[in-house]
């Protein structure tokens, strides 16, 4: 006796459901496209940190026997804004010079300024040294290194910055640029340390 086979039944979706599915697919596609566009815009407008390069530094007459107190400390650092469409507002820039961990000079070196996209500004100033002096514990080592023609120092620049995208400003960020270098016995910057990039901290 032949078996009875039941043919599968197919239910066609109603026009309303098909229309709803189509609208959902279009909406998801638009959301995906909008997400890609926003991601590309974020990549193009994401602020890049400024770059600092030590161009010159000197402490004239650093080899005098009475110590470095009150000697002029001259510095020059180039600041570069690598952003193509984002400007940077800098508050006043303060400089500090260290011999090991001993602070030997500090003070303001640059007034507030605005750095346009792809711009460069020379941050330069002159501080007055507070030491080392012959009464300081570090004097003997400092004088010995001066006599040898190689003294390791650090220049630290501190400021507060804001990034500007057209009419919109970001929140303020504290910035610190740390530049390590050596000076010779006459107080001038070693040639190999010219145009070296400083380490930047945000």
């Amino acid at each position: 006796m032949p078996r009875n086979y039941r043919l599968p039944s197919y239910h066609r979706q109603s026009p309303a459901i098909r229309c709803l599915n189509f609208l959902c697919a279009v909406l998801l596609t638009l959301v995906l496209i909008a997400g890609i566009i926003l991601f590309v815009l974020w990549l193009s407008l994401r602020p890049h940190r400024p770059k600092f390069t030590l161009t010159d530094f000197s402490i004239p007459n650093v080899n005098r026997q009475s110590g470095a107190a009150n000697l002029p400390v001259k510095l020059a650092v180039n600041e570069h804004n690598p952003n193509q469409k984002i400007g940077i507002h800098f508050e006043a820039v303060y400089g500090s010079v260290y011999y090991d961990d001993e602070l030997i000079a500090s003070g303001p070196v640059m007034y507030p300024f605005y750095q346009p996209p792809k711009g460069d500004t020379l941050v330069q100033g002159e501080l007055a040294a507070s030491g080392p002096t012959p009464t300081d514990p570090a004097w003997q080592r400092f004088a010995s290194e001066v006599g040898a023609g190689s003294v390791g120092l650090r220049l630290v620049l501190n400021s507060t910055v804001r990034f500007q995208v057209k009419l919109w400003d970001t929140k303020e960020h504290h910035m610190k640029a740390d530049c390590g270098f050596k000076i010779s016995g006459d107080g001038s910057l070693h040639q190999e340390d010219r145009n070296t990039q400083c380490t930047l901290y945000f």
Side-chain angles (χ1 to χ4, degrees):
M1 182 175 180
R3 295 180 179 179
N4 293 326
Y5 291 95
R6 180 177 296 177
L7 295 176
S9 59
Y10 297 95
H11 299 282
R12 297 183 62 184
Q13 292 181 337
S14 66
I17 294 178
R18 281 186 294 169
C19 182
L20 181 61
N21 290 338
F22 175 75
L23 290 177
C24 289
V26 171
L27 181 61
L28 289 175
T29 302
L30 292 176
V31 170
L32 179 62
I33 294 174
I36 294 174
I37 293 175
L38 289 175
F39 179 70
V40 172
L41 288 175
W42 178 79
L43 287 178
S44 63
L45 296 177
R46 182 181 57 174
H48 294 283
R49 297 177 178 182
K51 296 181 179 180
F52 290 82
T53 304
L54 180 66
T55 59
D56 199 12
F57 186 95
S58 65
I59 307 178
N61 300 318
V62 72
N63 54 359
R64 71 179 186 181
Q65 297 300 313
S66 58
N70 299 318
L71 287 178
V73 179
K74 302 178 181 180
L75 60 97
V77 177
N78 184 71
E79 183 276 324
H80 173 68
N81 178 6
N83 296 286
Q84 293 186 354
K85 299 180 180 180
I86 300 176
I88 305 176
H89 291 275
F90 286 84
E91 297 299 326
V93 181
Y94 292 86
S96 302
V97 182
Y98 294 88
Y99 173 65
D100 288 340
D101 293 329
E102 181 178 351
L103 179 66
I104 63 173
S106 64
V109 295
M110 188 75 174
Y111 48 82
F113 66 97
Y114 171 73
Q115 182 64 279
K118 289 296 183 181
D120 289 88
T121 295
L122 188 62
V123 178
Q124 58 183 346
E126 182 175 315
L127 305 173
S130 58
T133 63
T135 58
D136 293 335
W139 170 251
Q140 291 297 330
R141 183 161 52 88
F142 180 81
S144 176
E145 292 178 359
V146 169
S150 181
V151 184
L153 299 175
R154 285 173 51 236
L155 169 64
V156 178
L157 299 177
N158 287 278
S159 184
T160 301
V161 302
R162 289 179 292 109
F163 295 97
Q164 178 179 327
V165 184
K166 294 188 181 296
L167 300 178
W168 171 66
D169 287 356
T170 66
K171 65 178 182 179
E172 293 183 342
H173 300 271
H174 177 71
M175 177 218 75
K176 181 176 78 170
D178 195 322
C179 318
F181 58 93
K182 292 181 179 180
I183 59 172
S184 58
D186 62 358
S188 61
L189 181 66
H190 275 198
Q191 189 63 35
E192 60 268 23
D193 288 328
R194 292 186 184 276
N195 300 318
T196 56
Q197 188 167 324
C198 306
T199 303
L200 190 65
Y201 301 94
F202 259 66

